[in-house]
Amino acid sequence: MSEIKISIIMGVYNCSKTLREAIDSILAQTYTNWEFIICDDGSTDETLAIAKEYAEEDPVRFLV
């Protein structure tokens, strides 16, 4: 039986100081069959740019 695909949804707003740590925590998990949906709510800092960096590195699993 194949593993179930998990969707992780994260709402973000002006969290550029902690976003990398949060995303890296997901990446460090042992379960690998997931997609990560990041919804930015109009951030005015570098939050959206950081999220897009991860999406560029892994466009199959990240949706921003």
Side-chain angles (χ1 to χ4, degrees):
M1 181 176 187
S2 63
E3 292 183 319
I4 296 172
K5 186 171 189 176
I6 302 296
S7 295
I8 304 160
I9 303 170
M10 178 185 285
V12 295
Y13 178 75
N14 286 349
C15 59
S16 62
K17 293 180 181 179
T18 58
L19 184 56
R20 289 185 196 280
E21 183 179 359
I23 295 173
D24 289 344
S25 174
I26 299 298
L27 292 171
Q29 300 301 310
T30 57
Y31 194 85
T32 58
N33 192 19
W34 50 263
E35 65 179 351
F36 199 167
I37 303 166
I38 301 174
C39 302
D40 180 66
D41 192 23
S43 294
T44 57
D45 63 0
E46 295 299 312
T47 297
L48 183 57
I50 293 168
K52 285 182 177 181
E53 283 178 28
Y54 282 89
E56 288 174 9
E57 292 176 19
D58 191 350
V60 172
R61 296 195 299 175
F62 280 80
L63 175 62
V64 176

Short mmCIF file of all heavy atoms in Angstrom, two decimals:
data_model
loop_
_atom_site.label_atom_id
_atom_site.label_comp_id
_atom_site.label_asym_id
_atom_site.label_seq_id
_atom_site.Cartn_x
_atom_site.Cartn_y
_atom_site.Cartn_z
N MET A 1 0.85 -1.19 0.00
CA MET A 1 0.00 0.00 0.00
C MET A 1 0.88 1.25 0.00
O MET A 1 1.84 1.34 0.75
CB MET A 1 -0.90 -0.02 1.23
CG MET A 1 -1.82 1.14 1.33
SD MET A 1 -2.90 0.96 2.75
CE MET A 1 -3.95 2.31 2.47
N SER A 2 0.57 2.21 -0.83
CA SER A 2 1.35 3.44 -0.89
C SER A 2 0.98 4.36 0.28
O SER A 2 -0.11 4.27 0.84
CB SER A 2 1.13 4.14 -2.21
OG SER A 2 -0.22 4.54 -2.33
N GLU A 3 1.91 5.24 0.61
CA GLU A 3 1.67 6.18 1.68
C GLU A 3 0.63 7.21 1.27
O GLU A 3 0.54 7.59 0.11
CB GLU A 3 2.95 6.91 2.04
CG GLU A 3 4.00 6.04 2.69
CD GLU A 3 5.22 6.86 3.08
OE1 GLU A 3 5.63 7.73 2.30
OE2 GLU A 3 5.75 6.61 4.16
N ILE A 4 -0.14 7.66 2.21
CA ILE A 4 -1.15 8.68 1.98
C ILE A 4 -0.45 10.03 1.83
O ILE A 4 0.46 10.35 2.59
CB ILE A 4 -2.14 8.73 3.15
CG1 ILE A 4 -2.91 7.41 3.24
CG2 ILE A 4 -3.08 9.91 3.03
CD1 ILE A 4 -3.76 7.28 4.47
N LYS A 5 -0.87 10.82 0.85
CA LYS A 5 -0.31 12.15 0.66
C LYS A 5 -0.96 13.11 1.64
O LYS A 5 -2.18 13.18 1.76
CB LYS A 5 -0.51 12.63 -0.76
CG LYS A 5 0.19 13.94 -1.04
CD LYS A 5 0.16 14.27 -2.51
CE LYS A 5 1.04 15.44 -2.82
NZ LYS A 5 1.10 15.71 -4.25
N ILE A 6 -0.14 13.86 2.33
CA ILE A 6 -0.59 14.82 3.33
C ILE A 6 -0.45 16.23 2.77
O ILE A 6 0.54 16.56 2.12
CB ILE A 6 0.28 14.71 4.61
CG1 ILE A 6 0.23 13.31 5.20
CG2 ILE A 6 -0.10 15.77 5.63
CD1 ILE A 6 -1.12 12.90 5.69
N SER A 7 -1.45 17.08 3.00
CA SER A 7 -1.37 18.49 2.64
C SER A 7 -1.12 19.30 3.90
O SER A 7 -1.87 19.18 4.88
CB SER A 7 -2.67 18.96 1.98
OG SER A 7 -2.87 18.31 0.76
N ILE A 8 -0.08 20.10 3.87
CA ILE A 8 0.25 20.99 4.98
C ILE A 8 -0.08 22.40 4.51
O ILE A 8 0.41 22.84 3.47
CB ILE A 8 1.74 20.89 5.34
CG1 ILE A 8 2.11 19.45 5.66
CG2 ILE A 8 2.09 21.83 6.49
CD1 ILE A 8 3.57 19.14 5.55
N ILE A 9 -0.90 23.09 5.26
CA ILE A 9 -1.30 24.44 4.89
C ILE A 9 -0.81 25.39 5.97
O ILE A 9 -1.08 25.19 7.16
CB ILE A 9 -2.83 24.54 4.73
CG1 ILE A 9 -3.31 23.54 3.69
CG2 ILE A 9 -3.23 25.97 4.36
CD1 ILE A 9 -4.81 23.39 3.63
N MET A 10 -0.08 26.42 5.54
CA MET A 10 0.45 27.40 6.49
C MET A 10 0.06 28.80 6.03
O MET A 10 0.40 29.22 4.92
CB MET A 10 1.98 27.30 6.57
CG MET A 10 2.61 28.32 7.49
SD MET A 10 4.42 28.27 7.47
CE MET A 10 4.72 26.80 8.40
N GLY A 11 -0.67 29.49 6.87
CA GLY A 11 -0.96 30.89 6.61
C GLY A 11 0.17 31.73 7.20
O GLY A 11 0.63 31.46 8.31
N VAL A 12 0.66 32.71 6.44
CA VAL A 12 1.79 33.51 6.91
C VAL A 12 1.51 35.00 6.72
O VAL A 12 0.81 35.41 5.80
CB VAL A 12 3.10 33.13 6.17
CG1 VAL A 12 3.51 31.71 6.50
CG2 VAL A 12 2.99 33.30 4.66
N TYR A 13 2.08 35.79 7.63
CA TYR A 13 2.01 37.24 7.53
C TYR A 13 3.18 37.85 8.30
O TYR A 13 3.29 37.67 9.52
CB TYR A 13 0.68 37.77 8.09
CG TYR A 13 0.60 39.28 8.04
CD1 TYR A 13 0.38 39.93 6.83
CD2 TYR A 13 0.79 40.04 9.17
CE1 TYR A 13 0.33 41.32 6.77
CE2 TYR A 13 0.74 41.42 9.12
CZ TYR A 13 0.52 42.05 7.92
OH TYR A 13 0.49 43.42 7.85
N ASN A 14 4.05 38.52 7.59
CA ASN A 14 5.20 39.21 8.18
C ASN A 14 5.97 38.35 9.18
O ASN A 14 6.21 38.76 10.32
CB ASN A 14 4.76 40.52 8.84
CG ASN A 14 4.43 41.59 7.82
OD1 ASN A 14 4.71 41.46 6.63
ND2 ASN A 14 3.81 42.66 8.27
N CYS A 15 6.34 37.17 8.74
CA CYS A 15 7.07 36.26 9.64
C CYS A 15 8.43 35.87 9.06
O CYS A 15 8.90 34.76 9.24
CB CYS A 15 6.24 35.02 9.93
SG CYS A 15 5.77 34.08 8.46
N SER A 16 9.07 36.81 8.38
CA SER A 16 10.34 36.50 7.72
C SER A 16 11.42 36.06 8.71
O SER A 16 12.31 35.29 8.35
CB SER A 16 10.84 37.71 6.92
OG SER A 16 11.08 38.82 7.76
N LYS A 17 11.34 36.50 9.95
CA LYS A 17 12.37 36.13 10.94
C LYS A 17 12.28 34.67 11.36
O LYS A 17 13.26 34.09 11.79
CB LYS A 17 12.27 37.04 12.16
CG LYS A 17 12.62 38.47 11.87
CD LYS A 17 12.52 39.33 13.11
CE LYS A 17 12.85 40.78 12.78
NZ LYS A 17 12.74 41.64 13.94
N THR A 18 11.11 34.07 11.25
CA THR A 18 10.93 32.69 11.72
C THR A 18 10.48 31.71 10.64
O THR A 18 10.41 30.51 10.89
CB THR A 18 9.88 32.65 12.85
OG1 THR A 18 8.65 33.21 12.37
CG2 THR A 18 10.36 33.44 14.07
N LEU A 19 10.19 32.21 9.44
CA LEU A 19 9.62 31.34 8.41
C LEU A 19 10.57 30.23 7.98
O LEU A 19 10.16 29.09 7.81
CB LEU A 19 9.19 32.17 7.20
CG LEU A 19 8.49 31.39 6.08
CD1 LEU A 19 7.28 30.64 6.61
CD2 LEU A 19 8.10 32.32 4.95
N ARG A 20 11.84 30.55 7.78
CA ARG A 20 12.80 29.51 7.37
C ARG A 20 12.85 28.37 8.38
O ARG A 20 12.87 27.20 8.03
CB ARG A 20 14.19 30.09 7.16
CG ARG A 20 14.30 30.96 5.94
CD ARG A 20 15.75 31.41 5.72
NE ARG A 20 15.83 32.52 4.80
CZ ARG A 20 15.77 32.40 3.48
NH1 ARG A 20 15.65 31.21 2.93
NH2 ARG A 20 15.85 33.47 2.71
N GLU A 21 12.86 28.73 9.65
CA GLU A 21 12.90 27.72 10.71
C GLU A 21 11.65 26.84 10.66
O GLU A 21 11.74 25.61 10.80
CB GLU A 21 13.01 28.39 12.08
CG GLU A 21 13.12 27.44 13.24
CD GLU A 21 13.25 28.14 14.57
OE1 GLU A 21 13.27 29.38 14.63
OE2 GLU A 21 13.31 27.42 15.59
N ALA A 22 10.50 27.42 10.43
CA ALA A 22 9.25 26.67 10.37
C ALA A 22 9.24 25.73 9.16
O ALA A 22 8.88 24.55 9.28
CB ALA A 22 8.06 27.62 10.31
N ILE A 23 9.65 26.23 8.01
CA ILE A 23 9.67 25.40 6.80
C ILE A 23 10.72 24.30 6.93
O ILE A 23 10.47 23.14 6.59
CB ILE A 23 9.91 26.25 5.54
CG1 ILE A 23 8.72 27.19 5.31
CG2 ILE A 23 10.13 25.36 4.32
CD1 ILE A 23 8.93 28.19 4.18
N ASP A 24 11.89 24.64 7.44
CA ASP A 24 12.95 23.64 7.61
C ASP A 24 12.52 22.53 8.57
O ASP A 24 12.92 21.38 8.42
CB ASP A 24 14.24 24.29 8.09
CG ASP A 24 14.90 25.13 7.00
OD1 ASP A 24 14.54 24.97 5.81
OD2 ASP A 24 15.77 25.96 7.34
N SER A 25 11.68 22.87 9.53
CA SER A 25 11.15 21.86 10.45
C SER A 25 10.30 20.84 9.70
O SER A 25 10.38 19.64 9.96
CB SER A 25 10.32 22.54 11.54
OG SER A 25 9.70 21.58 12.37
N ILE A 26 9.49 21.30 8.77
CA ILE A 26 8.69 20.39 7.94
C ILE A 26 9.61 19.53 7.08
O ILE A 26 9.42 18.31 6.96
CB ILE A 26 7.70 21.17 7.05
CG1 ILE A 26 6.73 21.99 7.89
CG2 ILE A 26 6.98 20.25 6.08
CD1 ILE A 26 5.84 21.18 8.81
N LEU A 27 10.61 20.15 6.48
CA LEU A 27 11.53 19.42 5.62
C LEU A 27 12.32 18.35 6.38
O LEU A 27 12.75 17.36 5.79
CB LEU A 27 12.50 20.39 4.94
CG LEU A 27 11.88 21.32 3.90
CD1 LEU A 27 12.89 22.37 3.47
CD2 LEU A 27 11.38 20.54 2.70
N ALA A 28 12.50 18.53 7.67
CA ALA A 28 13.28 17.60 8.49
C ALA A 28 12.48 16.37 8.93
O ALA A 28 13.04 15.43 9.48
CB ALA A 28 13.82 18.32 9.72
N GLN A 29 11.18 16.36 8.68
CA GLN A 29 10.35 15.22 9.09
C GLN A 29 10.69 13.98 8.28
O GLN A 29 11.16 14.06 7.15
CB GLN A 29 8.87 15.56 8.92
CG GLN A 29 8.42 16.77 9.72
CD GLN A 29 8.64 16.59 11.22
OE1 GLN A 29 8.25 15.59 11.80
NE2 GLN A 29 9.28 17.56 11.83
N THR A 30 10.44 12.83 8.85
CA THR A 30 10.75 11.58 8.16
C THR A 30 9.69 11.20 7.13
O THR A 30 10.00 10.51 6.16
CB THR A 30 10.91 10.42 9.16
OG1 THR A 30 9.71 10.31 9.93
CG2 THR A 30 12.09 10.67 10.08
N TYR A 31 8.47 11.66 7.30
CA TYR A 31 7.41 11.38 6.34
C TYR A 31 7.64 12.29 5.13
O TYR A 31 7.82 13.50 5.28
CB TYR A 31 6.04 11.65 6.96
CG TYR A 31 4.90 11.07 6.16
CD1 TYR A 31 4.52 9.75 6.34
CD2 TYR A 31 4.22 11.83 5.22
CE1 TYR A 31 3.48 9.20 5.61
CE2 TYR A 31 3.18 11.29 4.48
CZ TYR A 31 2.82 9.98 4.68
OH TYR A 31 1.80 9.43 3.95
N THR A 32 7.62 11.74 3.94
CA THR A 32 8.00 12.53 2.77
C THR A 32 6.91 12.70 1.73
O THR A 32 7.09 13.47 0.78
CB THR A 32 9.22 11.89 2.08
OG1 THR A 32 8.89 10.54 1.71
CG2 THR A 32 10.43 11.89 3.00
N ASN A 33 5.79 12.05 1.87
CA ASN A 33 4.73 12.16 0.86
C ASN A 33 3.76 13.28 1.25
O ASN A 33 2.69 13.04 1.79
CB ASN A 33 3.99 10.83 0.69
CG ASN A 33 3.10 10.84 -0.53
OD1 ASN A 33 3.26 11.64 -1.44
ND2 ASN A 33 2.15 9.92 -0.55
N TRP A 34 4.18 14.51 0.98
CA TRP A 34 3.37 15.66 1.36
C TRP A 34 3.49 16.77 0.33
O TRP A 34 4.39 16.80 -0.49
CB TRP A 34 3.76 16.19 2.73
CG TRP A 34 5.23 16.43 2.92
CD1 TRP A 34 6.11 15.58 3.52
CD2 TRP A 34 5.99 17.57 2.53
NE1 TRP A 34 7.38 16.12 3.51
CE2 TRP A 34 7.32 17.35 2.91
CE3 TRP A 34 5.68 18.75 1.88
CZ2 TRP A 34 8.34 18.27 2.68
CZ3 TRP A 34 6.70 19.68 1.64
CH2 TRP A 34 8.00 19.43 2.05
N GLU A 35 2.53 17.69 0.41
CA GLU A 35 2.59 18.94 -0.33
C GLU A 35 2.44 20.06 0.69
O GLU A 35 1.80 19.88 1.73
CB GLU A 35 1.48 19.04 -1.37
CG GLU A 35 0.08 19.09 -0.79
CD GLU A 35 -1.01 19.20 -1.85
OE1 GLU A 35 -0.69 19.41 -3.03
OE2 GLU A 35 -2.19 19.07 -1.47
N PHE A 36 3.08 21.18 0.42
CA PHE A 36 3.10 22.30 1.36
C PHE A 36 2.48 23.51 0.67
O PHE A 36 3.00 24.01 -0.32
CB PHE A 36 4.53 22.60 1.77
CG PHE A 36 4.69 23.38 3.04
CD1 PHE A 36 5.94 23.47 3.63
CD2 PHE A 36 3.65 24.03 3.65
CE1 PHE A 36 6.14 24.18 4.80
CE2 PHE A 36 3.81 24.74 4.81
CZ PHE A 36 5.07 24.82 5.39
N ILE A 37 1.35 23.95 1.18
CA ILE A 37 0.64 25.10 0.63
C ILE A 37 0.85 26.27 1.59
O ILE A 37 0.46 26.20 2.76
CB ILE A 37 -0.86 24.79 0.48
CG1 ILE A 37 -1.04 23.57 -0.41
CG2 ILE A 37 -1.60 26.01 -0.06
CD1 ILE A 37 -2.44 22.96 -0.36
N ILE A 38 1.49 27.33 1.09
CA ILE A 38 1.77 28.50 1.91
C ILE A 38 0.94 29.66 1.38
O ILE A 38 1.03 30.03 0.21
CB ILE A 38 3.27 28.86 1.89
CG1 ILE A 38 4.10 27.68 2.41
CG2 ILE A 38 3.53 30.11 2.72
CD1 ILE A 38 5.60 27.88 2.30
N CYS A 39 0.10 30.22 2.26
CA CYS A 39 -0.79 31.32 1.88
C CYS A 39 -0.33 32.60 2.58
O CYS A 39 -0.42 32.71 3.80
CB CYS A 39 -2.22 31.01 2.31
SG CYS A 39 -2.88 29.50 1.62
N ASP A 40 0.19 33.53 1.79
CA ASP A 40 0.64 34.81 2.35
C ASP A 40 -0.53 35.79 2.38
O ASP A 40 -1.28 35.91 1.41
CB ASP A 40 1.79 35.37 1.51
CG ASP A 40 2.27 36.70 2.05
OD1 ASP A 40 2.82 36.70 3.18
OD2 ASP A 40 2.09 37.72 1.37
N ASP A 41 -0.67 36.51 3.48
CA ASP A 41 -1.78 37.44 3.65
C ASP A 41 -1.31 38.89 3.49
O ASP A 41 -1.59 39.74 4.33
CB ASP A 41 -2.42 37.23 5.01
CG ASP A 41 -3.77 37.94 5.15
OD1 ASP A 41 -4.39 38.23 4.12
OD2 ASP A 41 -4.17 38.21 6.29
N GLY A 42 -0.56 39.15 2.42
CA GLY A 42 -0.14 40.52 2.13
C GLY A 42 1.02 41.01 2.96
O GLY A 42 1.06 42.19 3.32
N SER A 43 1.97 40.14 3.25
CA SER A 43 3.13 40.53 4.04
C SER A 43 3.86 41.71 3.42
O SER A 43 3.94 41.84 2.20
CB SER A 43 4.11 39.35 4.17
OG SER A 43 3.54 38.30 4.90
N THR A 44 4.43 42.55 4.29
CA THR A 44 5.20 43.71 3.83
C THR A 44 6.70 43.53 4.09
O THR A 44 7.48 44.44 3.81
CB THR A 44 4.70 45.00 4.51
OG1 THR A 44 4.79 44.83 5.93
CG2 THR A 44 3.27 45.30 4.11
N ASP A 45 7.09 42.39 4.63
CA ASP A 45 8.51 42.10 4.82
C ASP A 45 8.94 41.07 3.76
O ASP A 45 8.33 40.98 2.71
CB ASP A 45 8.79 41.61 6.25
CG ASP A 45 8.09 40.30 6.59
OD1 ASP A 45 7.37 39.74 5.73
OD2 ASP A 45 8.26 39.84 7.73
N GLU A 46 9.93 40.28 4.02
CA GLU A 46 10.46 39.32 3.04
C GLU A 46 9.78 37.95 3.09
O GLU A 46 10.27 37.00 2.48
CB GLU A 46 11.97 39.15 3.27
CG GLU A 46 12.76 40.42 2.99
CD GLU A 46 12.60 40.89 1.56
OE1 GLU A 46 12.74 40.06 0.64
OE2 GLU A 46 12.31 42.09 1.37
N THR A 47 8.68 37.84 3.79
CA THR A 47 7.99 36.56 3.94
C THR A 47 7.68 35.90 2.60
O THR A 47 8.01 34.73 2.38
CB THR A 47 6.69 36.73 4.75
OG1 THR A 47 7.03 37.19 6.06
CG2 THR A 47 5.91 35.44 4.85
N LEU A 48 7.05 36.61 1.70
CA LEU A 48 6.66 36.04 0.41
C LEU A 48 7.89 35.61 -0.39
O LEU A 48 7.89 34.54 -1.00
CB LEU A 48 5.80 37.02 -0.38
CG LEU A 48 5.27 36.52 -1.72
CD1 LEU A 48 4.45 35.24 -1.54
CD2 LEU A 48 4.45 37.60 -2.39
N ALA A 49 8.93 36.41 -0.39
CA ALA A 49 10.15 36.07 -1.13
C ALA A 49 10.78 34.79 -0.59
O ALA A 49 11.24 33.94 -1.36
CB ALA A 49 11.15 37.23 -1.06
N ILE A 50 10.78 34.62 0.72
CA ILE A 50 11.33 33.41 1.33
C ILE A 50 10.51 32.20 0.91
O ILE A 50 11.06 31.16 0.53
CB ILE A 50 11.39 33.56 2.86
CG1 ILE A 50 12.42 34.62 3.25
CG2 ILE A 50 11.72 32.22 3.53
CD1 ILE A 50 12.36 35.06 4.71
N ALA A 51 9.20 32.31 0.99
CA ALA A 51 8.33 31.20 0.61
C ALA A 51 8.55 30.82 -0.85
O ALA A 51 8.62 29.64 -1.20
CB ALA A 51 6.87 31.57 0.86
N LYS A 52 8.69 31.83 -1.71
CA LYS A 52 8.91 31.57 -3.13
C LYS A 52 10.25 30.88 -3.38
O LYS A 52 10.37 30.08 -4.30
CB LYS A 52 8.81 32.87 -3.92
CG LYS A 52 7.38 33.34 -4.09
CD LYS A 52 7.33 34.61 -4.93
CE LYS A 52 5.90 35.05 -5.17
NZ LYS A 52 5.84 36.27 -6.00
N GLU A 53 11.27 31.18 -2.57
CA GLU A 53 12.57 30.51 -2.70
C GLU A 53 12.40 29.01 -2.54
O GLU A 53 12.95 28.23 -3.31
CB GLU A 53 13.55 31.02 -1.63
CG GLU A 53 14.15 32.36 -1.89
CD GLU A 53 15.05 32.78 -0.75
OE1 GLU A 53 15.62 31.90 -0.05
OE2 GLU A 53 15.19 34.00 -0.54
N TYR A 54 11.68 28.61 -1.51
CA TYR A 54 11.46 27.19 -1.26
C TYR A 54 10.65 26.57 -2.40
O TYR A 54 10.92 25.44 -2.81
CB TYR A 54 10.76 26.97 0.07
CG TYR A 54 11.67 27.09 1.27
CD1 TYR A 54 11.89 28.32 1.89
CD2 TYR A 54 12.32 25.98 1.78
CE1 TYR A 54 12.73 28.43 2.98
CE2 TYR A 54 13.16 26.08 2.88
CZ TYR A 54 13.36 27.31 3.48
OH TYR A 54 14.20 27.41 4.56
N ALA A 55 9.67 27.29 -2.90
CA ALA A 55 8.85 26.78 -4.00
C ALA A 55 9.68 26.60 -5.27
O ALA A 55 9.45 25.66 -6.03
CB ALA A 55 7.68 27.72 -4.26
N GLU A 56 10.63 27.48 -5.50
CA GLU A 56 11.50 27.35 -6.67
C GLU A 56 12.40 26.13 -6.55
O GLU A 56 12.69 25.47 -7.54
CB GLU A 56 12.34 28.61 -6.85
CG GLU A 56 11.53 29.79 -7.35
CD GLU A 56 12.34 31.08 -7.40
OE1 GLU A 56 13.58 31.02 -7.21
OE2 GLU A 56 11.74 32.14 -7.64
N GLU A 57 12.84 25.83 -5.32
CA GLU A 57 13.71 24.68 -5.09
C GLU A 57 12.96 23.35 -5.20
O GLU A 57 13.54 22.34 -5.58
CB GLU A 57 14.38 24.79 -3.72
CG GLU A 57 15.38 25.91 -3.61
CD GLU A 57 15.95 26.05 -2.21
OE1 GLU A 57 15.86 25.09 -1.41
OE2 GLU A 57 16.47 27.14 -1.91
N ASP A 58 11.69 23.35 -4.86
CA ASP A 58 10.89 22.11 -4.87
C ASP A 58 9.47 22.42 -5.36
O ASP A 58 8.52 22.39 -4.59
CB ASP A 58 10.86 21.51 -3.47
CG ASP A 58 10.29 20.10 -3.45
OD1 ASP A 58 9.74 19.66 -4.48
OD2 ASP A 58 10.38 19.45 -2.39
N PRO A 59 9.33 22.72 -6.68
CA PRO A 59 8.03 23.13 -7.19
C PRO A 59 6.96 22.04 -7.19
O PRO A 59 5.77 22.34 -7.30
CB PRO A 59 8.33 23.59 -8.62
CG PRO A 59 9.60 22.90 -8.98
CD PRO A 59 10.37 22.72 -7.70
N VAL A 60 7.36 20.80 -7.03
CA VAL A 60 6.39 19.71 -7.01
C VAL A 60 5.63 19.68 -5.68
O VAL A 60 4.44 19.44 -5.64
CB VAL A 60 7.09 18.36 -7.26
CG1 VAL A 60 6.13 17.20 -7.06
CG2 VAL A 60 7.68 18.33 -8.66
N ARG A 61 6.33 19.97 -4.59
CA ARG A 61 5.71 19.86 -3.28
C ARG A 61 5.27 21.19 -2.68
O ARG A 61 4.48 21.22 -1.74
CB ARG A 61 6.63 19.14 -2.30
CG ARG A 61 6.89 17.72 -2.70
CD ARG A 61 7.48 16.89 -1.61
NE ARG A 61 8.77 17.38 -1.15
CZ ARG A 61 9.44 16.85 -0.13
NH1 ARG A 61 8.93 15.83 0.52
NH2 ARG A 61 10.59 17.33 0.22
N PHE A 62 5.79 22.30 -3.18
CA PHE A 62 5.47 23.63 -2.60
C PHE A 62 4.54 24.38 -3.53
O PHE A 62 4.78 24.47 -4.73
CB PHE A 62 6.74 24.45 -2.39
CG PHE A 62 7.49 24.08 -1.15
CD1 PHE A 62 8.32 22.98 -1.13
CD2 PHE A 62 7.38 24.85 0.01
CE1 PHE A 62 9.04 22.65 0.01
CE2 PHE A 62 8.09 24.52 1.15
CZ PHE A 62 8.91 23.42 1.15
N LEU A 63 3.51 24.98 -2.95
CA LEU A 63 2.61 25.86 -3.67
C LEU A 63 2.47 27.13 -2.84
O LEU A 63 2.08 27.07 -1.66
CB LEU A 63 1.23 25.20 -3.86
CG LEU A 63 0.15 26.07 -4.49
CD1 LEU A 63 0.57 26.47 -5.90
CD2 LEU A 63 -1.16 25.33 -4.51
N VAL A 64 2.83 28.25 -3.42
CA VAL A 64 2.76 29.52 -2.70
C VAL A 64 1.71 30.38 -3.38
O VAL A 64 1.68 30.50 -4.58
CB VAL A 64 4.13 30.25 -2.73
CG1 VAL A 64 4.02 31.62 -2.07
CG2 VAL A 64 5.17 29.40 -2.00
#
